[in-house]
Amino acid sequence: MREEDCIFCKIANGGIPSETIYEDDMFRVIMDLGPASKGHALILPKQHYRDICDLDEEMAAKVLPLAAKIGAAMKKALGCSGFNVVQNNGKEAGQTVFHFHVHLIPRYEEGPAMVSWMPGKASPEELAQTGAAIRSAL
Ligand code: 5GP
Ligand code: ZN
């Protein structure tokens, strides 16, 4: 399925030009227009999925191997020492385009530094209570 007003549906299916680094029948991988670091790329499925909870099994099974393939190519081509695989689900999680996508962000020794979370504290009781709540919803 594709959505009329979805910019990533249009980009993934070639309706809007993009700097494409990989394409097959299911995916297009493009350079992010606002890169967090040199080489920041986005994996876009050609079909429309809102977020990770919307994926079918075939798509879910293929996306991580593709992330590894592109990340390995980034290491070879760009000399980054590592890369982050980032995937946002929902507005509060930072998702701004509601067509499932995976960010591949090369990381270099010289930076740029990126904001991470500050580890919090939780008691064993809190962990147990929260864990039980999630388990009960599986
Ligand atoms: P999100 O915040 O939804 O996880 O990520 C959306 C990403 O898409 C952002 O990093 C943003 O820079 C990128 N982006 C938004 N619109 C376009 C576009 O038209 N072309 C490209 N190449 N990237 C885009
Ligand atoms: Zn879409």
Side-chain angles (χ1 to χ4, degrees):
M1 201 196 80
R2 291 176 202 162
E3 294 226 331
E4 275 302 303
D5 294 331
C6 174
I7 187 163
F8 280 3
C9 277
K10 292 191 180 114
I11 293 174
N13 292 284
I16 294 178
S18 62
E19 186 58 42
T20 296
I21 56 179
Y22 175 87
E23 184 181 6
D24 62 22
D25 55 332
M26 290 177 74
F27 297 98
R28 182 185 295 269
V29 183
I30 64 169
M31 303 309 296
D32 195 297
L33 266 189
S37 69
K38 184 183 167 189
H40 182 167
L42 299 172
I43 298 177
L44 311 181
K46 291 187 173 178
Q47 296 292 313
H48 183 87
Y49 304 88
R50 183 179 168 83
D51 60 25
I52 197 171
C53 300
D54 200 25
L55 295 186
D56 56 49
E57 278 187 16
E58 188 190 6
M59 176 60 59
K62 290 199 163 151
V63 71
L64 269 191
L66 179 56
K69 179 185 172 91
I70 305 291
M74 286 172 162
K75 286 171 78 172
K76 258 197 223 163
L78 304 176
C80 54
S81 44
F83 61 95
N84 291 112
V85 178
V86 176
Q87 201 277 305
N88 299 327
N89 298 283
K91 185 164 155 277
E92 279 65 37
Q95 186 174 10
T96 58
V97 180
F98 292 86
H99 173 123
F100 171 85
H101 53 280
V102 175
H103 296 260
L104 297 168
I105 305 176
R107 299 298 292 269
Y108 302 90
E109 273 167 31
E110 62 273 22
M114 284 181 209
V115 179
S116 182
W117 62 83
M118 292 291 288
K121 284 201 172 116
S123 66
E125 293 74 26
E126 276 177 85
L127 296 180
Q129 196 182 25
T130 313
I134 299 169
R135 263 197 309 279
S136 71
L138 288 173

